Amino acid sequence: MMARAVLSQADISRALTRISHEILESNRGSSDLVILGIPTRGVILARRIAETIARIEPDAAPALAGALDVTMYRDDLTRTRTRTPQPTDLPPGGIDGKTVVLVDDVLYSGRTIRAALDALSDLGRARAVRLAVLVDRGHREFPIRADFVGKNLPSSARERINVRLVEIDGDDAVTIDEGEE
């Protein structure tokens, strides 16, 4: 099985910078903004976006980013092995009345985001919820669309998209593994 590189470290950095600018533009600044990453790689991407926003807007709140664990909200708990739940970590002030940007690495079926919306509703009432993803690969099973996309990457269902981030994997890259015929 051969992995084909589709995004380099520089491509990922540019995509996250663009997403950060788009978030600020759509929100008209950084006030009342909360960026929540979905574990595992979404949390790292959310932190990077929050750091970029803080560089663009020095008066942005220092603690924009948090983590939203969706494990127990998934509808496939009985069918697939799930990972160990991670802590949900909200920035000070919570989500009530805020614009929440959910961040994930790959948008595929939409099931993870549906679970994230359920988890979010248990934490408070956001003014608005937006979605930022590094890669949108299509194949939706729910009517969910990302507001901010690093790269649209149409792929076949048998292909696997791998997001590697330096904090976990030692380097930044996105690759596609060609599936078995």
Side-chain angles (χ1 to χ4, degrees):
M1 192 158 39
M2 187 69 191
R4 177 172 52 98
V6 284
L7 291 178
S8 68
Q9 185 273 328
D11 296 327
I12 291 170
S13 180
R14 277 191 298 275
L16 294 177
T17 299
R18 180 175 40 78
I19 287 170
S20 300
H21 280 280
E22 290 172 356
I23 289 169
L24 285 170
E25 188 174 320
S26 75
N27 196 59
R28 293 184 174 84
S30 62
S31 65
D32 292 331
L33 188 62
V34 173
I35 315 244
L36 293 180
I38 297 170
T40 299
R41 285 164 182 80
V43 174
I44 293 165
L45 295 172
R47 279 192 208 120
R48 289 187 189 181
I49 289 169
E51 288 165 6
T52 302
I53 286 173
R55 281 195 304 275
I56 298 166
E57 291 212 348
D59 61 339
L64 285 174
L68 178 67
D69 185 70
V70 303
T71 305
M72 302 314 291
Y73 291 88
R74 295 195 58 94
D75 63 1
D76 56 1
L77 283 173
T78 58
R79 288 199 303 273
T80 60
R81 187 178 67 79
T82 59
R83 54 181 187 70
T84 306
Q86 306 288 311
T88 288
D89 173 35
L90 296 182
I95 65 165
D96 287 334
K98 309 261 176 79
T99 296
V100 175
V101 179
L102 294 173
V103 180
D104 205 2
D105 54 353
V106 178
L107 177 57
Y108 184 38
S109 66
R111 290 186 178 277
T112 299
I113 304 308
R114 189 221 37 90
L117 293 170
D118 287 350
L120 205 56
S121 70
D122 279 354
L123 297 173
R125 189 172 195 281
R127 185 183 64 214
V129 179
R130 305 282 179 252
L131 176 60
V133 297
L134 183 59
V135 175
D136 183 346
R137 65 173 294 189
H139 303 282
R140 223 67 85 235
E141 295 171 9
F142 284 87
I144 290 173
R145 180 185 61 82
D147 300 280
F148 313 105
V149 178
K151 175 97 173 151
N152 284 296
L153 206 59
S155 58
S156 80
R158 71 176 190 275
E159 291 174 315
R160 178 164 173 81
I161 309 286
N162 299 302
V163 174
R164 297 179 50 85
L165 298 176
V166 70
E167 294 89 337
I168 297 172
D169 309 298
D171 65 336
D172 281 356
V174 176
T175 60
I176 296 181
D177 287 338
E178 307 298 333
E180 303 295 320
E181 284 294 332

